[in-house]
Structures are given as C-alpha cells and as structure tokens.
Amino acid sequence: MSVQHSKAAVPEAAWVKSSYSTGNGGECLEVAALPGAVLVRDSKRPTMAKLAIGPAAWDDFLRMAAGR
C-alpha cells in the first residue's frame, strides 16, 4: 500500500462511489481501478492524496468485507 501525492491523470469518470452512499454528506470513499492498482480517495476531498492498493490486497479486502 502507498499514498500517491502526484497529480496523475485519472479521469473523473474512472472514480466510483459506493452504492451504499446516500449523498447526504456522510463519510464516503471512491475507488478507481487502474492497471496494477486500485486507488481509494475521500469523496469530499478528491484532490487530496489517494491510497494505492495492489490488486491482490484489494481482492482480499473485498472477500473479508463480504464475509467470505
């Protein structure tokens, strides 16, 4: 895992917000899948640092979150 501070060109269309997000200004993360990494950012601060997670670690996280 790493934090990316660069202004790498990730199109806004690449970012996906959770379907559980209500849009009421609560805590929400967005993810963007790139070749070799999944980026995670705070939806309220999209220009701040992004967390880069490797595909295997992301898959492990999703399995854990789903309870499998």
Side-chain angles (χ1 to χ4, degrees), residues 4 32-39 51-55 58:
Q4 292 189 348
L34 300 177
V38 175
L39 300 181
L51 182 66
I53 304 169
W58 183 251

Side-chain angles (χ1 to χ4, degrees), residues 9-34:
V10 178
E12 283 302 310
W15 293 97
V16 178
K17 192 179 293 189
S18 169
S19 61
Y20 290 97
S21 174
T22 63
N24 293 333
E27 308 303 319
C28 191
L29 297 177
E30 296 175 320
V31 298
L34 300 177

Side-chain angles (χ1 to χ4, degrees), residues 22-68:
T22 63
N24 293 333
E27 308 303 319
C28 191
L29 297 177
E30 296 175 320
V31 298
L34 300 177
V38 175
L39 300 181
V40 180
R41 73 179 183 183
D42 182 343
S43 64
K44 295 179 301 311
R45 294 179 163 172
T47 61
M48 299 299 286
K50 286 103 176 121
L51 182 66
I53 304 169
W58 183 251
D59 287 344
D60 289 344
F61 168 74
L62 292 178
R63 273 194 292 284
M64 184 274 311
R68 295 184 221 159

